[in-house]
Amino acid sequence: MTLYPVETGNFKLDGGAMFGVVPKSLWTRTNPADSNNMIDLAARCLLIEDGDRLILIDSGLGNKQSEKFFGYYYPWGDHTLDGSLKKIGFHRDDITDVFMTHLHFDHCGGSIQWNSDRTGYEPAFKNAHFWTNKAHWDWAIEPNAREKASFLKENLIPMEESGQLNFVERGNSTFVKNSELGFDILFVDGHTEKQMLPLIRYQGKTIVFIADLIPTVGHIPLPYVMGYDMRPLQTLTEKNAFLNEAVDNNYILFFEHDAHNELCSLKHTEKGVRLDELFTFKEILNP
């Protein structure tokens, strides 16, 4: 097995929304804001090469939305999905599976693209199975008013119509061992219904693709919860359990949204679980 970070593009979001009730004077210490109160974010995906399988975890924002749409999110940098895949010797047609932690547009938008004559949409990975779970799919298809702007029909309906959509079975536990995909899955419900976080065993380590449970290094302290979360008090409970388990089991966190930090370890302190060490991908995973 080999793991590769796949940078699909950088964007910005309002720092206040990203940190909820935490005062700006605190969150700007780790996530400085620009003159519009926007902070740097990444859409960093993870590619797992395992035998004849190429599994992409999340797919970024994609490029099919309008210029006006992207204008709200201040794109920056020159990363693209195709460019990042090419650098590591792959093409999107090589991808066998696209596992989506959840179906917000910044996590699954790259899974669907315009067709050749721009009259409709088609899968961006023509040879891949798309993976979500039934409870989250139902939640996304009939979204609540707060979350509606994050679940875009043009990302979802073409996925279903393609025949490439598959559902992970949750079972009766918070954790699921998925033999088809080869990694454990942690289900969390604070940010959105049944978000799925992969736990990947690699070279004696456990790498956790932390998605929106902990978007950036600055979100590690327990009360630092996004204003975007549907159930912030549940996020607190889920995050507290995860942070302690992560320290006790030496998990390494893979950040999807931290534009400046890829991976970290954690430690117990008098103030709770905090950052221990930061790593680049090459340093810790592919020595």
Side-chain angles (χ1 to χ4, degrees):
M1 178 189 289
T2 307
L3 305 182
Y4 308 90
V6 176
E7 301 281 357
T8 68
N10 296 325
F11 63 108
K12 294 175 181 267
L13 286 176
D14 183 86
M18 283 297 293
F19 283 92
V21 300
V22 178
K24 183 177 180 179
S25 59
L26 295 180
W27 59 255
T28 51
R29 297 174 185 176
T30 55
N31 297 73
D34 65 15
S35 59
N36 293 313
N37 209 48
M38 309 295 279
I39 63 171
D40 290 349
L41 294 173
R44 181 182 300 112
C45 305
L46 180 64
L47 184 67
I48 304 171
E49 182 182 14
D50 190 10
D52 60 356
R53 305 285 294 278
L54 276 175
I55 304 168
L56 182 66
I57 300 177
D58 281 352
S59 59
L61 286 79
N63 57 15
K64 64 183 177 298
Q65 307 304 136
S66 67
E67 184 176 346
K68 179 180 179 181
F69 176 91
F70 284 116
Y72 297 132
Y73 303 104
Y74 300 84
W76 59 278
D78 56 5
H79 294 304
T80 65
L81 173 61
D82 288 321
S84 295
L85 288 174
K86 185 177 181 180
K87 284 181 181 178
I88 54 178
F90 297 112
H91 185 273
R92 64 174 63 220
D93 292 351
D94 300 324
I95 304 299
T96 62
D97 301 270
V98 179
F99 178 92
M100 294 163 291
T101 59
H102 58 298
L103 296 169
H104 289 169
F105 67 84
D106 55 319
H107 295 259
C108 76
S111 297
I112 300 296
Q113 64 186 6
W114 284 106
N115 59 19
S116 58
D117 56 8
R118 296 181 70 86
T119 58
Y121 303 107
E122 64 183 11
F125 305 92
K126 65 180 183 181
N127 298 314
H129 297 286
F130 294 118
W131 294 92
T132 182
N133 65 81
K134 187 62 164 57
H136 182 66
W137 177 263
D138 291 343
W139 180 270
I141 289 296
E142 298 292 340
N144 62 73
R146 275 195 65 196
E147 223 171 343
K148 187 175 182 179
S150 294
F151 291 124
L152 306 182
K153 295 294 185 182
E154 57 266 38
N155 288 334
L156 306 181
I157 302 305
M159 202 179 296
E160 182 178 40
E161 292 176 344
S162 73
Q164 296 171 226
L165 184 64
N166 295 266
F167 294 130
V168 172
E169 295 297 328
R170 181 174 182 270
N172 296 317
S173 173
T174 302
F175 280 95
V176 170
K177 175 66 176 177
N178 190 288
S179 58
E180 281 193 277
L181 292 167
F183 48 74
D184 294 351
I185 300 167
L186 171 64
F187 288 82
V188 288
D189 298 300
H191 178 60
T192 188
E193 180 77 4
K194 300 297 178 287
Q195 180 182 194
M196 300 189 292
L197 310 182
L199 285 76
I200 302 152
R201 317 294 177 186
Y202 180 65
Q203 294 186 355
K205 307 175 182 71
T206 299
I207 314 301
V208 184
F209 189 96
I210 202 62
D212 280 348
L213 180 63
I214 305 175
T216 73
V217 166
H219 288 85
I220 291 172
L222 187 59
Y224 287 50
V225 171
M226 289 190 291
Y228 295 111
D229 285 16
M230 294 300 102
R231 308 177 181 107
L233 293 181
Q234 186 159 353
T235 295
L236 279 174
T237 299
E238 293 168 340
K239 186 176 172 183
N240 184 57
F242 173 80
L243 287 171
N244 284 284
E245 179 172 333
V247 176
D248 294 343
N249 292 281
N250 299 311
Y251 292 168
I252 295 172
L253 275 56
F254 179 100
F255 291 103
E256 183 169 15
H257 283 319
D258 194 316
H260 306 292
N261 301 290
E262 293 179 340
L263 300 138
C264 84
S265 59
L266 302 171
K267 63 183 178 181
H268 289 298
T269 75
E270 292 180 356
K271 294 183 178 181
V273 175
R274 290 292 187 271
L275 172 70
D276 185 16
E277 295 184 72
L278 291 168
F279 309 99
T280 65
F281 206 90
K282 289 182 180 179
E283 285 173 337
I284 194 65
L285 296 182
N286 296 311

